[in-house]
Amino acid sequence: MTTNASRPEVLRYTAFSSAPDGGNPAGVVLDATALDDSDMLAIAAELGYSESAFLTAPPEGLGGPEGRAYSIRYFSPKAEVPFCGHATVATAVALAERIGPGELVFATRAGTVPVEVAEEGGTVRATLTSVEPHIEEIADADLAEARAALGWPAADLDPAFPPRIAFAGARHLVLAAATRARLADLAYDFARLEALMHRLDLTTVQLVWRESATVFHVRDPFPVGGVVEDPATGAAAAAFGAYARELGLVPEDAVLTLHQGEDLGRPGELTVTLRAGDPRVRVSGAGARIG
């Protein structure tokens, strides 16, 4: 295990906001070569953010521009997760400040994730492209348990959005609230929801409310990561985009806006882009250094 003296620099960035006090904060270690799994978990736990990202050299054959390809791992305060969208955006912004905007390629446990970073009017924005997504149904008994843990009776769900488990790098249960007030009132049984999520191998529960045809408000309970709620969730946004397209709730070509973090006092905005003929989902957002 590394000592404090040999520990690499731990950066702090927020994703899906251009303001340090908005969006979702992440720890970023740009050179984690000297860290083992226990070191990375300890750093993530010490920071207390929903996830932190750790970079090492890319695997052979990954491809991508010279000097702009990496292996990346993500740790919550409790465990490693296969993919994290906001920590990917935060890392891409951190790299862009050091090596310039442009294309990046990350090897994740979920697969290869390309990211394009651009500067727009002084704001750095990153767009990740997900691995190929898929959607599956949830058993009635598991849905009932999820509702019970959340304290949501069946009447609180929007019948236009069938509950599904969606994957675009990590698994998320998608549940749609019938009203904005239902979404805002989030007080759930932490241990009960955590147990169900472990059993179903879920990373978050993606709670959504549809404001308009392309605008949604979302929240993501994250008890399996050791935090009550994730302030802005790129992996869940990608999964939701795939879910909405597959069920015909949005066009095959669409740009969706997801507002998240308002109820936590950390407002963020995620842009989800769907392209006809490409099953992958693109998630974009701004980023900023904290401190």
Side-chain angles (χ1 to χ4, degrees):
M1 189 168 184
T2 62
T3 65
N4 286 336
S6 62
R7 177 180 288 189
E9 183 180 14
V10 180
L11 305 173
R12 294 165 174 81
Y13 276 77
T14 195
F16 302 116
S17 173
S18 59
D21 58 353
N24 196 354
V28 177
V29 176
L30 296 179
D31 183 3
T33 306
L35 302 179
D36 61 21
D37 290 13
S38 63
D39 294 329
M40 290 185 265
L41 183 60
I43 290 171
E46 181 181 311
L47 286 172
Y49 297 151
S50 54
E51 277 103 358
S52 294
F54 300 85
L55 294 185
T56 54
E60 188 174 346
L62 178 63
E66 181 70 26
R68 301 182 68 92
Y70 304 86
S71 294
I72 187 168
R73 295 175 69 183
Y74 312 94
F75 283 80
S76 78
K78 278 192 171 183
E80 185 173 7
V81 298
F83 176 66
C84 173
H86 89 271
T88 300
V89 168
T91 301
V93 171
L95 285 168
E97 290 181 352
R98 288 154 180 81
I99 62 175
E103 182 185 349
L104 299 164
V105 180
F106 294 118
T108 80
R109 278 179 48 196
T112 301
V113 175
V115 180
E116 187 68 34
V117 189
E119 186 173 348
E120 304 170 3
T123 298
V124 180
R125 292 182 60 86
T127 300
L128 67 87
T129 299
S130 77
V131 298
E132 188 162 339
H134 63 262
I135 312 300
E136 63 187 71
E137 296 195 5
I138 180 171
D140 290 343
D142 292 332
L143 174 59
E145 178 63 11
R147 289 196 299 99
L150 290 166
W152 286 25
D156 283 355
L157 296 180
D158 184 343
F161 289 75
R164 294 288 189 275
I165 293 172
F167 170 89
R171 288 163 57 85
H172 307 267
L173 171 60
V174 180
L175 297 176
T179 65
R180 180 67 178 90
R182 172 70 279 178
L183 185 70
D185 183 15
L186 181 62
Y188 67 91
D189 186 325
F190 190 97
R192 189 171 183 178
L193 189 60
E194 180 183 21
L196 175 68
M197 291 172 67
H198 277 302
R199 184 161 58 79
L200 299 180
D201 190 27
L202 301 176
T203 297
T204 75
V205 178
Q206 171 88 333
L207 305 174
V208 308
W209 175 73
R210 187 172 203 166
E211 177 183 310
S212 68
T214 59
V215 177
F216 298 83
H217 295 255
V218 301
R219 301 185 74 174
D220 281 80
F222 188 35
V224 295
V227 296
V228 173
E229 184 177 353
D230 205 16
T233 319
F240 175 72
Y243 156 94
R245 176 176 55 193
E246 182 164 319
L247 294 182
L249 300 168
V250 299
E252 289 188 12
D253 266 313
V255 178
L256 312 178
T257 300
L258 275 58
H259 296 286
Q260 191 172 357
E262 293 174 348
D263 298 294
L264 291 174
R266 293 194 64 92
E269 183 176 295
L270 302 87
T271 302
V272 176
T273 302
L274 306 171
R275 297 179 182 175
D278 187 348
R280 300 172 303 168
V281 180
R282 288 158 179 83
V283 178
S284 307
R289 186 162 186 173
I290 300 170

